[in-house]
Amino acid sequence: MRIAGRHYRTIWPEEGGAAVMVIDQTLLPFRFATRRLASLAEAAEAISTMVVRGAPLIGATAAHGVALAMRADPGDAALADALSILGATRPTAVNLHWALARMRDVLAPLPPRERPAAAAAEAAANCDEDVALCRAIGEHGLGLIAAVAARKPPGAPVNILTHCNAGWLATVDWGTALAPIYRAHDAGLSVHVWVDETRPRNQGAALTAYELGAHGVPHTVIVDNAGGHLMQHGKVDMVIVGTDRTTATGDVANKIGTYLKALAAQDNGVPFYVALPSPTIDWRLSDGLAEIPIEERSPQEVTHLLGQAGEGEPSLVRVVAPGSPAANPAFDVTPARLVTGLITERGIAPASSDGLRRLFPEHAPRQDR
Ligand code: MRU
């Protein structure tokens, strides 16, 4: 992504490897600032406080967190501690556990003196792979958008609704749900994005709108409850969202409110696509509702909103009656039956066990091969 003419990934190692740099997403859209993470503790805190967020970027940051830990102490106990501390930062996004398992598999067999360099190399490889996977998702999703565009009057925009932020900021670059949109826009197709504000933390209003604006993609921010109405009136051609964990059967966990959009989409015959790199698939799970852990976050995210009065410093304001309790489940599960297709780096799969395994035969149970 380019911000003010400069290309950025969302995470990159500092020269010499003593620290990793990230974009502080808690300050967006009010201020674009980077943050230096120089230790395991700082990497873990950045994930749990959502300085970085979005399933693929959480995994990439965790990998770099292990690399920082190995620079400080490459011993077995330090490696085990790093894996366990980082593994406890956010419960729903499975990319975190995928990235940590990968770091463990590379590092555990090595003698400690070889671990710092190997950890840095593996964390960098993880980031490069994420960029390649997201770019491929963009290519496959572009075909879907182009097919809708071909059915519309010449020049009429394809209206795409998205929820939360599954863009460049949620990955190392490109995004998942937004990658096809960027590719379509760059290819000269007319696209317009309905951006769900995505309460409570407003990742849509704050982050998706910010990055679409920076790339020049036409978009309109709507309150979370507007999507159904827009679909009833023919103003949404397709929905594309991301996911934090998808089961081997195609059930999809994503930011709270995604399920309601899928229900509205089905009622109105609007295709509902989920874009994901394969590290977001949890091949061990078959029942998303029963098996995917749903993060419960602080009630303060519901009772208070971050905003900016005029040009002043951003500050939190209370929006809920003092004394009223608030609940904050951060994700919900959309059953596979409501998902039109999964846009992956290998192509578009039906949201089903067979569909996913046809694209990823290496994950088929042995007797199915
Ligand atoms: O709580 P967040 O902001 O980390 O949640 C992110 C989402 O729900 C995204 O839509 C999802 O991670 C897909 S990211 C490509």
Side-chain angles (χ1 to χ4, degrees), residues 50 53-56 90 164-166 170 176 203 243-244 254-255 331:
M50 294 174 69
R53 27 86 29 222
R90 303 242 3 231
C164 194
N165 173 262
T176 57
Q203 288 96 326
T243 167
D244 296 82
N254 194 48
K255 184 55 55 190
F331 298 92

Side-chain angles (χ1 to χ4, degrees), residues 2-356:
R2 296 185 82 76
I3 299 291
R6 178 176 159 190
H7 177 262
Y8 282 91
R9 283 186 174 187
T10 53
I11 185 165
W12 63 97
E14 190 181 76
E15 193 74 40
V20 64
M21 302 297 297
V22 296
I23 295 163
D24 186 344
Q25 300 193 24
T26 63
L27 300 178
L28 289 173
F30 311 110
R31 201 178 330 136
F32 181 88
T34 56
R35 169 107 60 116
R36 182 174 186 269
L37 310 176
S39 65
L40 163 66
E42 287 179 6
E45 203 232 347
I47 297 172
S48 56
T49 60
M50 294 174 69
V51 166
V52 291
R53 27 86 29 222
L57 181 56
I58 289 170
T61 308
H64 275 291
V66 174
L68 292 171
M70 292 298 92
R71 275 178 79 94
D73 175 355
D76 287 349
L79 176 58
D81 273 358
L83 297 172
S84 128
I85 289 166
L86 289 159
T89 47
R90 303 242 3 231
T92 304
V94 79
N95 306 57
L96 172 67
H97 305 289
W98 172 86
L100 291 174
R102 196 172 138 160
M103 294 301 280
R104 183 199 58 218
D105 292 349
V106 168
L107 300 175
L110 296 178
R113 74 187 137 69
E114 291 180 19
R115 286 178 182 161
E122 191 58 24
N126 176 309
C127 289
D128 291 345
E129 274 173 40
D130 184 63
V131 176
L133 297 184
C134 289
R135 194 183 292 121
I137 288 169
E139 291 303 320
H140 294 298
L142 167 63
L144 292 173
I145 297 175
V148 176
R151 296 196 294 272
K152 300 197 74 151
V158 177
N159 289 299
I160 303 166
L161 184 142
T162 194
H163 191 70
C164 194
N165 173 262
W168 158 68
L169 287 163
T171 62
V172 178
D173 206 348
W174 284 100
T176 57
L178 296 194
I181 293 170
Y182 288 131
R183 282 293 294 113
H185 175 80
D186 292 351
L189 293 175
S190 176
V191 287
H192 165 262
V193 186
W194 295 111
V195 179
D196 281 356
E197 63 177 347
T198 319
R199 276 282 277 149
R201 286 186 68 106
N202 281 338
Q203 288 96 326
L207 304 177
T208 300
Y210 173 82
E211 59 166 276
L212 288 174
H215 201 86
V217 179
H219 63 281
T220 307
V221 179
I222 51 175
V223 297
D224 290 323
N225 294 325
H229 165 80
L230 293 171
M231 290 181 207
Q232 285 175 320
H233 289 272
K235 293 185 173 167
V236 180
D237 294 305
M238 62 200 298
V239 178
I240 311 181
V241 298
T243 167
D244 296 82
R245 192 183 301 220
T246 291
T247 65
T249 51
D251 295 340
V252 167
N254 194 48
K255 184 55 55 190
I256 194 77
T258 303
Y259 169 55
L260 292 177
K261 290 300 137 69
L263 284 175
Q266 190 181 61
D267 194 44
N268 290 284
V270 173
F272 183 95
Y273 288 100
V274 180
L276 66 152
S278 54
T280 305
I281 303 169
D282 191 336
W283 295 100
R284 304 162 307 166
L285 305 189
S286 57
D287 180 346
L289 262 185
E291 296 176 305
I292 298 179
I294 299 297
E295 180 176 15
E296 191 72 41
R297 293 189 60 88
S298 163
Q300 207 207 16
E301 294 181 350
V302 178
T303 58
H304 290 69
L305 271 179
L306 183 68
Q308 184 179 32
E311 297 297 303
E313 276 301 300
S315 61
L316 281 178
V317 290
R318 174 176 268 283
V319 291
V320 169
S324 288
N328 189 10
F331 298 92
D332 60 23
V333 173
T334 299
R337 67 175 184 279
L338 299 177
V339 177
T340 309
L342 301 169
I343 311 171
T344 77
E345 72 270 17
R346 292 196 192 165
I348 294 150
S352 67
S353 191
D354 282 353
L356 275 171

